[in-house]
Amino acid sequence: MTATVPQDDIARILASLKLNGVKNVALTTMEGRSLGSTVTDASARFKLGALSAASIAIANKTSTELSLGDLDQIQIVSNNGSLLLSAVGNKALLSVVTERGVDSMLIAREMKRVAVQLLTMV
């Protein structure tokens, strides 16, 4: 991330994804280091970053091995909610944790919009 980007700008952009049913939003490096987050608990922020980075690494490898092309987005759906992951260029990862029943297509579209904004900052 460039030194000239205020954390407040990143926080504001991430907060714009806090739509109805969205629990947490995080921006991390591809290695899982936090660049910004709506997660207030440091332990939970670290866990979300680490698990998101591991998930994107596995999905990238799967996409490559199966000749599926460039990875666009990952969605992990569980009984109580979902995790949506999207790359921000090749340096950062956008993670959104939602409650069960949230319109994941709406969230995915908004994530693409936010990723374009964040791309110039990382």
Side-chain angles (χ1 to χ4, degrees):
M1 181 169 55
T2 60
T4 60
V5 178
Q7 282 297 119
D8 290 347
D9 288 349
I10 291 175
R12 180 184 45 75
I13 292 168
L14 294 179
S16 75
L17 276 172
K18 289 283 286 192
L19 305 170
N20 197 20
V22 172
K23 294 180 180 180
N24 290 306
V25 180
L27 178 67
T28 62
T29 65
M30 288 295 196
E31 296 78 28
R33 186 176 54 84
S34 180
L35 299 173
S37 178
T38 64
V39 182
T40 55
D41 177 73
S43 176
R45 188 170 46 247
F46 175 79
K47 190 183 302 181
L48 177 58
L51 292 171
S52 295
S55 297
I56 198 106
I58 291 168
N60 270 324
K61 181 68 172 169
T62 301
S63 184
T64 299
E65 290 297 321
L66 297 178
S67 301
L68 297 174
D70 293 337
L71 182 65
D72 183 42
Q73 203 164 52
I74 302 167
Q75 182 178 9
I76 300 170
V77 180
S78 299
N79 290 338
N80 295 326
S82 298
L83 171 63
L84 288 87
L85 303 168
S86 182
V88 179
N90 60 1
K91 295 181 182 177
L93 176 62
L94 184 60
S95 306
V96 176
V97 179
T98 71
E99 296 173 352
R100 183 179 182 176
V102 169
D103 182 354
S104 60
M105 295 305 290
L106 171 66
I107 301 298
R109 282 192 305 273
E110 288 300 303
M111 287 177 74
K112 285 183 184 234
R113 176 189 59 79
V114 165
V116 168
Q117 288 179 300
L118 292 170
L119 189 57
T120 61
M121 299 179 177
V122 294

